[in-house]
Every structure is written in C-alpha cells, then in structure tokens.
Amino acid sequence: AVRPAALAELPQAPPSTAATAAPRSALWEALFQAYNFAVGAVAGGIGAATVYPIDLVKTRIQNQRTAVVGEMMYKNSIDCFRKVIRNEGILGLYRGLGPQLVGVAPEKAIKLTVNDFVRARLTNKKTGEIAFASELLSGACAGASQVVFTNPLEIVKIRLQVQGEILKDAAGATKTVARSGAVTIIKELGLVGLYKGASACLLRDVPFSAIYFSCYSHIKKDVFNEGNRQLGILDLLCAGALAGMPAAYLTTPADVIKTRLQVVARQGETAYTGLVDAARKIYREEGFKAFFKGGPARIFRSSPQFGVTLMCYELIHRMVPFPGESHELPHDRHAQHTRELSAQTALFHAGAALRLLHNSGYRFGAVPAPSKE
C-alpha cells in the first residue's frame, strides 16, 4: 500500500495566479492602459489598410440610391470594384486612406483598450470566469467609447470615397468640380457637422462591439480550445474573422442609414433630415432589402479587418509584453503540474514495488528444490 507520508512529499498544485497577482498602483495601471492604447493603434492601422479597398466598394454600393433617374452606376460589389479601377485606377481604391489611418489609430485603440479594461473589472478574480451579460456590456462600452473618434473619421472618409463618382458625373456634364481634400471637408463641415449621423453611428457600433467581442471570446475558448494551449497566428486570425461575420451583417441597416445621412445628396437624389426620416424613406422607396445593401461587402471588409486587427493586437502583446505581464495560461500551468504529478506518482509506485520484492527475498519466484527423504 502507498504510504500517506510519501504522498505528502509529492508537489502540490500551484496557487491561482488570479488570487496571488499583486494589484497595480494607479501610475502603473495608467502606464499599462497607455501601452494597450499604443498596441491597439498599431494593430488597428494594419487591419484598416489591409481591407480598405473593400470598404470603399461597400460605401459606394450603400450610397447608391434607386430614386436616381436612369440606371444604377453599379450592379454589385464586383461590378463596382471593376469600374473604380477602370475609371479611377488602382489608386482610386485607396481614396481617403490617409484620414482613415490617422483616425483609425485612436478609434481602434480606445475600442480595444476600453473592452479590455471593462472586461477585466467584470471578470471574477478567483475563477477567471466572466458572465455572458458582462461580456456584452464590456463590448457595448467599447463600441460607445469609439464613436467620438469614429463619426468624424467616417464622414470625412465617406465623402472622399464618393468623390470619384461626383467628379465622373461632373466630367460627363462638362462641369468643373474641384477635388476636395480632407482638410477642406473638415473646414466645410465644422465641429457640429463632423458629428452628423452620430446617432446612427452609435446604433451601429454599440451592438457591433457587443456581438463581436463576445463571439470572439467564445470562439477562441470553445472552438480553438484556448486555455489548454496557446493559440497560433491562424487560430487568432480565424477567430477574429469568424466573430466579425455576424457582427458586421446584423448591424448593416444602421450602417446604411449612417452612410446616407453623411453623404451630401446630389441632384435628383432623396435627402434625409434624420435617423427616423432616413429609415422611413429608404423603406418606402427601396424596400426592406435596401437596409442590407453592401452587407456582403461589409462582411468581407469587417471580417478580415478585425481578424487581422485582433491577431496583431494579441501577437504584439506576446512579442513586446508590458513589464511584469505574463502570457502563460493558468490552464497550461495546471496541465504541466498534473503531468509532473502523474510521473512522480508512477515513480513512487515503481519504487514501492521494488522494495516489496526486495523485502520478500532475493530468490522471490524461484522454484523450490525437491526435498530429500
């Protein structure tokens, strides 16, 4: 039998990191959040630049209004992509990228930082678990916080993206229209104008982030088995991309309304006075399907963008960690300890068996010699 005293000598399970981690000071916490902000800015810029042509196509498709006399300029996303290249060249697909990169850094940075900050505060410190409602809340807070950067960025970007259409129409009508830069558009709009369509932006970004971050967390845990192993580049990319699909498509109606409100209506196009007015007129003139215009393009844009962004965000955290930050998973340490404990227990049992054999005599198992009569 195994002696209890011997078992007591075997190594015990390591204490929980959540329980033993020392709380950061206020200054150290501020530096940590600044670090997260910087990492989010870099990751967001990479993600935005990667899928910008898809975003431009999505915007032009959504801004296409059937109330305009004559045929529609674009039949679908592929047709739009081809015509942009034919009429404006390859660089036309990147029209408005400069302001996008300038604005996307603080936008994505604050979104990722706020989500991590709120999520950490709502996570159970002892178990490391977080309720689904808390996941939704942390994502919603992230989405609401980013609107202060998103709305001005979006309205300038959208007006630059549709500028090619305006110039083409003007050339066909033999009119002279000057090309406007980002600075000119900002001056024309003013501070109040930069937040035109902010209600629709909130209506889009709050549910998007709530859906996205919740799905991302559960896909990593339930599909890619995070916790029992460290996820690789492809795992992170796929998790981010898959989470972006439902989040992007389900919030397309708000994105369509926001686009219509932020683009100046041309002659013959329907004008909108607000969120409700836009929703009513779009439904009356174009039907329910119009609310999902650009939906596939939005999926193809948001899905890879957030896949790349979240992948870069997590990889940068691993490669350039904040001082004192550890990415060793508690589940990994527990699994390693379990393997070590099993190995040492097996060695102990083998030693006990050898001692038992030794105590039974060195001729244990030998056939006894026949007795002499």
Side-chain angles (χ1 to χ4, degrees), residues 24-35:
R24 298 188 183 96
S25 65
L27 176 59
W28 203 242
E29 179 67 22
L31 291 174
F32 179 67
Q33 298 306 328
Y35 160 79

Side-chain angles (χ1 to χ4, degrees), residues 191-367:
L191 181 61
V192 176
L194 286 172
Y195 286 92
K196 184 178 181 180
S199 55
C201 205
L202 275 170
L203 190 62
R204 179 198 65 176
D205 290 345
V206 170
F208 179 94
S209 295
I211 296 170
Y212 179 80
F213 285 113
S214 300
C215 288
Y216 179 66
S217 173
H218 282 275
I219 289 173
K220 287 198 301 178
K221 182 174 64 176
D222 301 331
V223 177
F224 294 103
N225 204 24
E226 185 187 39
N228 295 324
R229 66 187 184 92
Q230 188 177 66
L231 302 190
I233 294 176
L234 187 60
D235 298 326
L236 295 172
L237 183 62
C238 290
L242 289 172
M245 292 179 181
Y249 194 74
L250 293 175
T251 56
T252 299
D255 194 48
V256 171
I257 294 172
K258 179 193 69 66
T259 300
R260 298 290 182 90
L261 288 173
Q262 292 182 337
V263 175
V264 177
R266 301 198 293 272
Q267 186 176 3
E269 292 182 335
T270 303
Y272 310 109
T273 59
L275 182 69
V276 177
D277 179 63
R280 286 174 178 171
K281 288 180 178 177
I282 292 171
Y283 179 74
R284 184 173 64 247
E285 297 174 1
E286 305 172 48
F288 182 75
K289 288 184 178 180
F291 288 110
F292 289 91
K293 276 187 176 182
R298 183 165 161 76
I299 291 175
F300 286 128
R301 192 266 300 183
S302 295
S303 179
Q305 178 182 2
F306 279 90
V308 172
T309 299
L310 268 294
M311 179 193 70
C312 292
Y313 184 72
E314 298 211 22
L315 290 179
I316 294 172
H317 269 279
R318 291 182 193 174
M319 294 185 293
V320 190
F322 186 76
E325 184 183 27
S326 173
H327 290 281
E328 185 184 8
L329 299 173
H331 293 79
D332 291 338
R333 291 196 300 274
H334 179 72
Q336 181 181 358
H337 169 77
T338 301
R339 289 192 296 270
E340 292 175 353
L341 184 62
S342 298
Q344 293 188 34
T345 302
L347 287 174
F348 172 80
H349 287 161
L354 288 173
R355 285 194 295 273
L356 180 63
L357 290 172
H358 182 269
N359 294 337
S360 300
Y362 69 94
R363 294 182 60 81
F364 179 80
V367 178

